[in-house]
Amino acid sequence: VKRADDPDLIVGQWPQANDNKIDDTAEKEMELLQKIVTGIRTVRSRMNVPPGSQSELIAKCDSDMVVFLQKHHTIISALTQTSSVTAGPDQAKPEQKRADEINGHLMEISKKLSNEKFISRAPQSVVAREKEKQEEMSAELEKVNANLEMLQ
Amino acid sequence: MTVQLEKVYTPSAIEDKWYQHWLDNGYFHAEVNPDKEPYTIVIPPPNVTGMLTMGHVLNNTIQDILIRKARMAGKEACWIPGTDHASIATEGKVVKMLKEQGIDKNSLTREEFLEHAWEWKEKYGGIIIQQLKKLGCSCDWERERFTMDEGYSKAVLSAFVKLYEKGLIYKGHRLVNWCPVSKSAISDEEVIHQEVNGHLWYFKYPVKDNDEYLVVATTRPETMLGDTAVAVHPKDERFTHLVGKTVTLPLVGREIPIIADDYVDPEFGTGCVKVTPAHDHNDFAMGERHNLEFINIMNDDASLNENTPEAYQNLSREDARKAVLKDLEKQGFLEKTEDYVNKVGYSERGQVPIEFYMSEQWFMKMSDLAKPALQAVSDSKIKFHPEHWVKTYKHWMENIKDWCISRQLWWGHQIPVWYHRENPKRLHVSVEGPDDSDNWVQDEDVLDTWASSWLWPIAVHNWPDESDDLKYFYPTDALVTGPDIIFFWVARMIITGYEFKSDLPFKDVYFTSIIRDKKGRKFSKSLGNSPDPFELFEEYGTDAVRFGTMLMAPQGLDVLFSSTRLEVGRNFMNKLWNASRFVLMNLEDGNIPEIDLDKEELDIPERWILSRLQKSIKAYNRQLNRFHFNEAAKVLYDFTWNDFCDWYIEIAKTRFYGNDAHAADVSRAAAIQVPLFLKNCGLM
């Protein structure tokens, strides 16, 4: 790395620190940004999100953090491959709503499947469909609960 | 316009190109410059016979960092290189070469031999200087010295004459460490003690005119031929009645006295000790106390001489031992034999057991000379890094013995003493020699090599001439050396500094680590565990080897050599290259944007990377100033790898490829600061 008018490095200037550029506020803020990026990367990795694919970021946080996330949105997005950011204090609500819905559905299915009359009378394909739905919803509930846990 | 970088980093082409460029521009040369503060390092002169080892890589990389730092910090930085004539090592090589040519050293005159030696030196000597250049050392090659060049030799002889005139040099018939291979006296420091499984033999010495006999034990049966007494402790009642009588020495028939001396431990062995004053230090002292005869029984190659019975004359010491034991047994004087683990002193050069040998040698009185040198280190005028070496130094200096400075060799500084042909007791001592040289014969011996290199910091400037160079570049600043030569060299340079210049020779001494293999063994040719630095330069790149070596060498601890660290070095160099290349590639038209970062309202990542950069510079300088080179290397590594490459470059991409042209320029201006710092940090 040499500019045309730079002296050769062997006779260049020995580096001296410029105290005016030491900026603890920026370092603190950057540290937080690094923690957020690392956190998101960890979640993606834990949830087996393929490296190339984009994910949505939902963050439950206070209003200061919302400002922070908005301020550094470009960097966070580029460094974590998150396409959109939804942040706020109530970010758990939609997830909770979905969890309640699933739980409701699962209870209904469970009732049906434990009803002997339903099992014996309904066509086999219908019973199989209910079981399939039960499995799908259980899997979704697991993910939603995991998200909820992170958003608590 | 900046210089663009090749896609792939090819160390050797780049290293060679720039080193040559620096040489061509004379960047390493220093001159007396009253406007600048001088900063001087004298290289520990490698033996002229030497080849570059990993120890040299470690040591010289550290010196290069220090000298580059000083040079770039605006000082008149002068790193003086050179080689040591290495008296005994070089003479050994020349003798070997002559032997291969069918020439026996003994068939040559001194002058003829020296002609061959100089020829050898010109042809093969000094390869290490070229090797140091390959390592990238920024020595002032115009100032290269050799400890036997003309000016240097004058300094060595001048020192001898001055000390002789002060009454500090004397000739004495003393017991010295003798190497039977090089047929020369050697210093205590050149003797390596090794444990050897041997035997303890018990002999019976019959008391004259009496039926009694005394039993003595020895690990060296052949030396009994030189016994001149048997000693017992004065209070040992078992033998009181025999003190003053004599025993007849078996095989020899000599009548020798039974003496009483406090040195004898009545609890040890039989309580009787054979006394061989000419071949043992303790016996020498007893011999002086009791006025005993000193019988030298050996030739200079440790074969037995005419002072032994004819049957043993000219036998090697090993054969003589067998013969003596056989004869003692045959004649009923061998009482018993026991297994015994013995510590035997070996000659470092000759690789054979040394002898204690009576010979006429030159000695230097050291106790007064050592005083100011001891004081300087005790008062921290000279600082040792790591500090624990101060204790070792003080212990040695407080117990310093007279130094045997003469060697029975030809390659070296011939002692500047002449004996008058008609009256050899009349001496002439001078640098130039007597005017009527035909009437005089010069002493045959040369000086111990260390009696020349101990003047290195002043003799490189042709002391005793008071040149401007000497005034400006002395005292030097830092000395970087191995702890194994703390007495051989470091202590003695401090002595000459105070004796001849009334000032310290250097302010800081950094003792390097000893590099060992993974199993903790010292590198050695015979073990074949010492890597060839040139193969490593080829495989990893010289900068990678330098950087990796710095990473693996914590102050004060031995280094376990690992090629993994060199891989870390290589990866780091590649990372540095790629990061710099990335930044350069993203400069518009190759130009660094004209942006004053001080006046810009910077975003957090730019403020952060510039802040981290300042802190890293501070940490780097702090570690170098306290001679913690591995910590300094780690600062560079962590900052470059973690802060810059893992974070800032990733962030910078969002600027470079984003829509805000000004933000991109600001980021470019910030990003370029890091490669600019790294290129100027002197480590690579």
Side-chain angles (χ1 to χ4, degrees):
Chain A
V1 182
K2 185 176 181 301
R3 285 178 286 218
D5 52 350
D6 269 355
D8 286 320
L9 70 83
I10 194 85
V11 286
Q13 204 181 356
W14 185 258
Q16 288 298 337
N18 177 353
D19 281 349
N20 293 333
K21 286 213 161 50
I22 289 178
D23 189 337
D24 288 331
T25 314
E27 288 204 31
K28 226 171 164 182
E29 195 164 333
M30 187 66 192
E31 200 182 313
L32 181 58
L33 183 58
Q34 287 173 319
K35 269 189 188 161
I36 290 167
V37 169
T38 310
I40 296 168
R41 285 172 175 170
T42 310
V43 172
R44 276 176 59 101
S45 152
R46 198 186 297 156
M47 299 180 92
N48 284 325
V49 180
S53 71
Q54 297 285 316
S55 48
E56 267 178 60
L57 172 65
I58 303 164
K60 182 197 173 195
C61 54
D62 60 22
S63 53
D64 285 350
M65 183 53 76
V66 172
V67 173
F68 187 89
L69 292 175
Q70 279 165 354
K71 184 177 169 190
H72 298 296
H73 167 246
T74 319
I75 293 170
I76 294 170
S77 165
L79 268 55
T80 61
Q81 288 164 327
T82 42
S83 53
S84 64
V85 180
T86 318
D90 301 326
Q91 286 313 311
K93 274 187 182 168
E95 289 292 298
Q96 188 57 59
K97 198 179 154 199
R98 179 66 188 146
D100 292 346
E101 274 173 21
I102 298 171
N103 274 324
H105 288 310
L106 280 174
M107 268 173 73
E108 276 173 29
I109 296 169
S110 173
K111 236 187 223 171
K112 275 186 189 172
L113 290 176
S114 56
N115 183 345
E116 277 178 26
K117 279 181 188 167
F118 173 75
I119 298 287
S120 56
R121 287 181 192 168
Q124 268 196 338
S125 62
V126 173
V127 175
R129 171 104 186 88
E130 287 301 312
K131 281 186 178 169
E132 212 175 289
K133 263 165 72 183
Q134 190 185 32
E135 268 176 35
E136 281 169 6
M137 289 205 157
S138 296
E140 192 187 348
L141 184 63
E142 205 177 308
K143 280 188 183 169
V144 172
N145 278 338
N147 288 346
L148 263 176
E149 203 179 306
M150 284 187 279
L151 291 169
Q152 295 302 324
Chain B
M1 279 288 283
T2 55
V3 177
Q4 292 299 319
L5 302 180
E6 298 290 329
K7 192 169 180 191
V8 178
Y9 176 50
T10 45
S12 62
I14 288 153
E15 288 159 359
D16 291 349
K17 173 188 152 191
W18 286 107
Y19 191 79
Q20 192 54 49
H21 177 77
W22 297 338
L23 280 180
D24 293 344
N25 282 278
Y27 290 143
F28 307 158
H29 182 59
E31 282 292 341
V32 173
N33 182 349
D35 297 335
K36 280 186 174 183
E37 188 189 336
Y39 183 93
T40 317
I41 296 178
V42 287
I43 203 169
N47 284 358
V48 71
T49 57
M51 300 295 263
L52 199 76
T53 64
M54 282 310 291
H56 292 118
V57 171
L58 171 67
N59 181 310
N60 288 286
T61 300
I62 290 172
Q63 293 178 73
D64 199 41
I65 293 167
L66 293 174
I67 206 76
R68 282 168 69 164
K69 178 174 185 278
R71 188 182 293 122
M72 292 164 75
K75 295 182 182 173
E76 190 68 17
C78 184
W79 183 11
I80 301 174
T83 46
D84 190 306
H85 68 281
S87 193
I88 202 163
T90 309
E91 181 146 333
K93 293 236 177 202
V94 177
V95 169
K96 196 175 159 215
M97 176 199 75
L98 289 172
K99 210 173 172 184
E100 283 162 8
Q101 294 172 8
I103 305 170
D104 178 7
K105 179 193 165 190
N106 296 323
S107 70
L108 300 176
T109 64
R110 184 183 196 115
E111 288 67 31
E112 284 167 346
F113 176 82
L114 287 177
E115 227 169 86
H116 284 290
W118 278 106
E119 224 171 79
W120 183 93
K121 187 252 168 192
E122 294 310 321
K123 205 165 170 187
Y124 303 109
I127 289 176
I128 197 160
I129 292 293
Q130 298 313 316
Q131 294 179 324
L132 287 170
K133 288 180 181 173
K134 181 69 193 165
L135 178 63
C137 295
S138 59
C139 299
D140 185 348
W141 299 111
E142 291 174 44
R143 292 180 181 273
E144 185 188 333
R145 298 304 297 263
F146 175 53
T147 53
M148 267 173 69
D149 69 32
E150 199 185 332
Y152 199 99
S153 296
K154 191 180 155 202
V156 174
L157 302 183
S158 300
F160 181 98
V161 172
K162 282 175 194 287
L163 295 172
Y164 179 83
E165 285 170 353
K166 263 184 113 173
L168 294 176
I169 290 177
Y170 63 95
K171 200 170 193 183
H173 198 66
R174 293 268 209 99
L175 211 52
V176 294
N177 304 315
W178 187 264
C179 171
V181 171
S182 44
K183 296 181 185 171
S184 173
I186 57 173
S187 64
D188 287 345
E189 292 78 12
E190 287 166 305
V191 178
I192 312 293
H193 292 277
Q194 289 176 22
E195 281 198 348
V196 172
N197 290 322
H199 300 286
L200 198 58
W201 286 277
Y202 291 78
F203 306 153
K204 291 190 274 195
Y205 285 2
V207 179
K208 202 188 169 204
D209 302 332
N210 190 328
D211 293 340
E212 290 180 72
Y213 57 82
L214 294 179
V215 178
V216 295
T218 180
T219 56
R220 298 283 315 270
E222 66 280 11
T223 61
M224 61 84 66
L225 301 172
D227 285 1
T228 57
V230 172
V232 295
H233 193 272
K235 289 182 184 160
D236 192 338
E237 287 173 3
R238 292 174 294 175
F239 308 114
T240 322
H241 65 291
L242 295 175
V243 174
K245 293 188 183 310
T246 58
V247 294
T248 308
L249 188 63
L251 310 184
V252 182
R254 187 163 55 237
E255 224 177 283
I256 57 174
I258 300 166
I259 58 168
D261 194 289
D262 285 337
Y263 163 74
V264 181
D265 178 0
E267 306 291 322
F268 185 77
T270 62
C272 300
V273 172
K274 67 191 267 305
V275 185
T276 326
H279 294 282
D280 180 276
H281 274 292
N282 295 316
D283 295 2
F284 181 90
M286 271 197 278
E288 287 199 317
R289 280 198 292 274
H290 297 273
N291 208 16
L292 299 176
E293 203 180 343
F294 290 71
I295 303 177
N296 174 16
I297 60 162
M298 285 183 186
N299 296 310
D300 59 6
D301 62 354
S303 64
L304 271 64
N305 67 13
E306 69 285 357
N307 295 328
T308 60
E310 211 177 333
Y312 309 110
Q313 287 178 18
N314 298 319
L315 292 183
S316 70
R317 52 186 167 170
E318 293 81 12
D319 289 344
R321 175 176 301 184
K322 286 180 201 153
V324 164
L325 284 170
K326 196 177 152 198
D327 293 347
L328 285 171
E329 190 170 20
K330 210 159 110 189
Q331 295 177 31
F333 293 114
L334 180 62
E335 195 189 60
K336 60 175 178 174
T337 307
E338 285 175 355
D339 289 339
Y340 191 74
V341 178
N342 195 14
K343 272 212 160 172
V344 177
Y346 277 73
S347 159
E348 194 185 18
R349 299 282 174 201
Q351 301 283 313
V352 294
I354 57 148
E355 285 297 335
F356 295 113
Y357 193 67
M358 291 282 294
S359 69
E360 186 119 274
Q361 302 286 347
W362 288 97
F363 292 89
M364 192 181 291
K365 292 180 191 168
M366 297 303 286
S367 60
D368 284 347
L369 283 172
K371 280 176 191 157
L374 175 61
Q375 200 63 39
V377 175
S378 300
D379 295 349
S380 298
K381 280 184 195 152
I382 298 173
K383 292 188 185 68
F384 283 1
H385 311 269
E387 207 186 342
H388 66 75
W389 288 110
V390 170
K391 206 175 154 195
T392 313
Y393 174 86
K394 278 164 88 171
H395 180 77
W396 192 73
M397 292 296 260
E398 281 161 0
N399 296 286
I400 199 163
K401 292 185 210 152
D402 286 1
W403 175 17
C404 172
I405 52 170
S406 47
R407 296 290 182 270
Q408 289 61 56
L409 301 165
W410 281 344
W411 176 249
H413 303 282
Q414 195 170 354
I415 288 176
V417 174
W418 284 259
Y419 305 91
H420 198 274
R421 285 187 191 278
E422 283 170 18
N423 176 12
K425 284 190 178 161
R426 212 178 127 199
L427 301 188
H428 172 98
V429 181
S430 74
V431 175
E432 299 80 14
D435 292 335
D436 53 339
S437 57
D438 290 349
N439 295 326
W440 300 82
V441 181
Q442 190 172 1
D443 194 294
E444 288 283 316
D445 292 349
V446 297
L447 287 169
D448 178 9
T449 301
W450 302 102
S452 69
S453 53
W454 75 328
L455 297 164
W456 186 243
I458 54 176
V460 292
H461 299 299
N462 290 332
W463 173 88
D465 298 344
E466 285 295 330
S467 66
D468 288 345
D469 277 355
L470 182 60
K471 277 182 209 146
Y472 183 71
F473 289 115
Y474 186 89
T476 71
D477 291 87
L479 177 78
V480 181
T481 189
D484 49 335
I485 50 175
I486 185 169
F487 310 130
F488 275 133
W489 194 47
V490 180
R492 288 167 178 163
M493 279 191 288
I494 300 175
I495 287 174
T496 52
Y498 280 99
E499 175 63 17
F500 297 124
K501 289 297 297 168
S502 307
D503 204 350
L504 43 84
F506 26 72
K507 298 164 191 120
D508 292 286
V509 183
Y510 178 80
F511 291 104
T512 55
S513 320
I514 291 173
I515 305 189
R516 298 173 184 276
D517 70 7
K518 271 187 211 156
K519 293 178 185 163
R521 299 175 304 179
K522 258 185 158 182
F523 281 154
S524 82
K525 273 187 198 165
S526 54
L527 284 175
N529 62 349
S530 175
D532 176 356
F534 285 87
E535 281 176 18
L536 300 178
F537 295 166
E538 203 56 45
E539 189 177 350
Y540 299 98
T542 311
D543 276 333
V545 174
R546 284 170 60 129
F547 190 83
T549 308
M550 287 303 96
L551 267 183
M552 69 174 103
Q555 194 190 81
L557 296 172
D558 284 356
V559 178
L560 296 186
F561 178 82
S562 96
S563 48
T564 317
R565 289 305 179 95
L566 301 187
E567 277 164 30
V568 171
R570 178 170 58 193
N571 294 343
F572 183 64
M573 292 307 139
N574 284 331
K575 192 85 172 171
L576 210 55
W577 182 267
N578 292 336
S580 303
R581 188 168 175 274
F582 172 78
V583 174
L584 291 178
M585 267 169 44
N586 283 288
L587 296 179
E588 299 260 308
D589 302 324
N591 290 318
I592 298 170
E594 297 288 333
I595 282 182
D596 184 350
L597 290 170
D598 290 336
K599 291 184 181 152
E600 284 290 322
E601 190 76 29
L602 299 175
D603 278 351
I604 292 295
E606 281 68 35
R607 281 166 58 189
W608 170 77
I609 194 66
L610 294 173
S611 177
R612 294 292 306 142
L613 173 61
Q614 307 316 312
K615 284 190 177 172
S616 300
I617 293 172
K618 276 189 145 184
Y620 181 61
N621 280 324
R622 188 173 63 245
Q623 297 298 358
L624 288 186
N625 290 340
R626 59 196 281 265
F627 297 92
H628 280 238
F629 299 96
N630 70 318
E631 297 290 342
K634 208 165 169 304
V635 168
L636 294 188
Y637 183 89
D638 289 344
F639 170 69
T640 308
W641 203 285
N642 301 336
D643 292 341
F644 188 60
C645 293
D646 282 358
W647 288 99
Y648 189 72
I649 286 197
E650 293 308 310
I651 291 170
K653 285 177 186 170
T654 67
R655 307 337 202 184
F656 295 167
Y657 309 144
N659 299 322
D660 186 339
H662 183 68
D665 275 350
V666 170
S667 182
R668 287 179 186 112
I672 197 74
Q673 301 304 314
V674 174
L676 287 175
F677 154 61
L678 291 167
K679 89 176 168 76
N680 277 0
C681 68
L683 201 68
M684 296 149 280

